[in-house]
Structure formats: structure tokens, C-alpha cells
Amino acid sequence: MAITIRIFKNADDAGIYVASIAEMVIRQQQHPVLGLATGSTPIPFYKALVNLYDCGLDLSHVTTVNLDEYVGLSGDHPQSYRYFMQEQLFSKTNLHQQNTHVPNGVAEDLDQECHRYDQILQKHTIDFQILGIGLNGHIGFNEPSDTLLAKTHVVHLKEATVKSNARFFESIDQVPNQAITMGVQAILQAKKIVLMAFGEEKASIIEQVILGDVSTNIPASILQLHQDIHFVLDIASASKLLANEKAKKTLGLKVR
Ligand code: F6R
């Protein structure tokens, strides 16, 4: 097993493909654990998974652990990641609420909350991890830095991340500048990982992540070290890879 790259015509087709991988994991395991992401990228995947549920896929035995949550937003805040998950997936399926885990962004003691989350992660090794990617290469909210942290931690979001996420808020001042994020250990311990990226603006970071060196300054590049990593792209996010004849050949990329 190594890197697998799939390039779809559009994000909806990609979402259906990733949901069918999730279905396989969910049906194979007695107690499947899905690692989940928020943001625009995984929305087609959640739509497709809800569709599969509507067609008979049982999720009652599934545990979910989310990558991150904003500090200062409670689960009933419309921009919180707990709220996003409720809207996109949890409330639309038979997932049991008590089996869904998202860090608590309003915990009184944030260090304690990180520790509590690590204990959950220790108990539930992730079978299938879904990732998006920031324009700066972050995964979860593991931002570019000289070092990456293994454990769940509180992170100060980079200016670029706050700017990019402002599109979900009424104004940029409302975007929290801190978050709790899973560290890279739990992500890399996932048995299977799918990183999805859609749109032209992700083309450059995708090229660097797949073809560049492994570097903490591009956190997603550490995924090159994982033994079962899938990059699920659309033509726009794959455009720089597809324009590179050498990469096309070595990676065996084909789009018909
Ligand atoms: C969200 C997360 C982030 C996003 C990334 C891309 O839980 O962990 O790493 O995946 O910021 O966001 P979108 O998909 O909105 O471009």
C-alpha cells in the first residue's frame, strides 16, 4: 500500500466515492471509528453518506471523532464545528449522540479538555480518517511550524487561516483565533486516510504536498509517510499535478 490518487470531474462524484469507502469500513468493522473533518470540502461526502444511510446503511454502531473545534464557541453556536456536524451528518442519521466526539471549545480548563480528548482517541483508534487541507497545508488545525505536536492541543490560528475561515462568519472579527485540534499522532495512527481537496486554489498546495519534501512547514506532507493514504481530488485541485508530465508518469495519473 502507498499513495493512491483519484481525480474526479467534480466534488460530488468524489464525495460518493469516499462515502463508498466509508461504507466498506463501516460494514467490515464491529465498532468502526470515523475521524471527521469540517469546512466546505467534506460536505459532498456527508451528503453521500446520508444518502447511503437513507438507502439502508446502519450507522448505529459507529463512533466518530472530529479533528477540531474553535475555542470560545459552544456546540449550539451556528459556526461551531459541533453544530456543523449536527447539521451535516449527526441529526440526519442513526449515529448515537453519545458516540460522536468533538472537542469542547468552551471547556473551563482547556488543557484538561485536550487530555480528555486524547483519552477518547486512545480508546478509539481511527479506522478511517477524512481530511481537508488548508491553503497553507494545515491538517486539522496543525498549522505550519518548525515543530508539529503529537497530542491534542490548543493552537493559535495563523492569520491566513482566520482570513480563509472568515467566509463562514459575518465578519472577520468574529472568527475565533484559537482552536483545539487533534495532534498528528492520532491522525497518523488512523488505519486509512483520505485527504480531499477541491478547487483551483488548492492546486498549488496539493502539488507541494504530493511532490515536495516532507516538512513540518507543510503539515500535510507528513501524510507521504502513511501506509494507506488516498488523495481524492477534482480536476481543478489536481491541475498542477496534471500539468507536470514527469509527475503524471511517476504517479500514474490518468483522467479520461
Ligand atoms: C476542519 C479542518 C481544516 C479544514 C481545512 C480546509 O475540521 O480540520 O483542516 O479541513 O481548513 O477547509 P475547507 O474545506 O473549508 O477548505
Side-chain angles (χ1 to χ4, degrees):
M1 279 184 287
I3 293 187
T4 305
I5 301 173
R6 290 279 177 273
I7 303 167
F8 288 86
K9 296 251 158 35
N10 57 59
D12 285 341
D13 288 355
I16 293 169
Y17 169 72
V18 178
S20 66
I21 302 178
E23 161 155 8
M24 252 172 13
V25 174
I26 290 166
R27 289 166 59 121
Q28 272 164 9
Q29 305 283 331
Q30 213 179 346
H31 301 290
V33 181
L34 302 186
L36 300 178
T38 56
S40 330
T41 307
I43 291 177
F45 161 69
Y46 292 132
K47 275 203 184 120
L49 194 57
V50 169
N51 243 332
L52 288 176
Y53 166 72
D54 289 339
C55 299
L57 176 66
D58 179 29
L59 298 174
S60 62
H61 59 309
V62 174
T63 295
T64 66
V65 279
N66 263 78
L67 284 164
D68 38 25
E69 178 61 283
Y70 286 119
V71 168
L73 301 193
S74 63
D76 55 5
H77 188 291
Q79 307 309 336
S80 75
Y81 287 167
R82 160 65 74 179
Y83 191 95
F84 173 97
M85 291 310 304
Q86 287 299 133
E87 292 281 294
Q88 297 294 329
L89 183 70
F90 299 163
S91 68
K92 294 182 171 163
T93 62
N94 67 342
L95 273 161
H96 290 300
Q97 192 70 16
Q98 71 269 23
N99 295 340
T100 67
H101 304 283
V102 182
N104 176 8
V106 289
E108 249 175 52
D109 183 335
L110 293 176
D111 288 340
Q112 181 56 36
E113 174 57 12
C114 292
H115 180 63
R116 182 190 74 85
Y117 210 65
D118 276 334
Q119 283 176 326
I120 293 171
L121 291 166
Q122 225 164 33
K123 206 168 137 203
H124 303 285
T125 304
I126 297 164
D127 292 299
F128 185 44
Q129 177 69 52
I130 296 296
L131 295 174
I133 182 170
L135 292 173
N136 62 6
H138 71 216
I139 44 175
F141 277 134
N142 293 281
E143 295 277 36
S145 163
D146 289 344
T147 54
L148 289 175
L149 296 180
K151 301 285 185 193
T152 302
H153 56 282
V154 175
V155 61
H156 289 267
L157 300 176
K158 296 268 183 200
E159 206 184 316
T161 302
V162 171
K163 262 194 198 151
S164 162
N165 288 2
R167 67 193 195 276
F168 299 112
F169 291 80
E170 270 172 30
S171 81
I172 192 161
D173 316 330
Q174 292 178 2
V175 187
N177 52 20
Q178 279 189 311
I180 299 177
T181 183
M182 215 187 253
V184 290
Q185 184 181 52
I187 297 174
L188 286 178
Q189 279 175 352
K191 292 181 197 141
K192 185 188 277 299
I193 303 179
V194 165
L195 184 145
M196 288 181 272
F198 307 126
E200 182 91 52
E201 76 273 18
K202 299 275 170 83
S204 171
I205 192 68
I206 283 297
E207 183 187 33
Q208 293 175 65
V209 163
I210 295 177
L211 299 179
D213 292 337
V214 175
S215 156
T216 58
N217 289 312
I218 302 186
S221 64
I222 58 165
L223 298 172
Q224 288 182 23
L225 308 176
H226 194 268
Q227 57 163 3
D228 195 6
I229 169 75
H230 302 241
F231 290 93
V232 176
L233 311 173
D234 66 357
I235 292 173
S237 66
S239 56
K240 294 221 175 215
L241 291 178
L242 292 169
N244 180 332
E245 283 308 320
K246 193 168 158 222
K248 253 175 99 175
K249 216 165 165 194
T250 42
L251 296 168
L253 300 180
K254 282 197 186 85
V255 184
R256 275 181 265 270

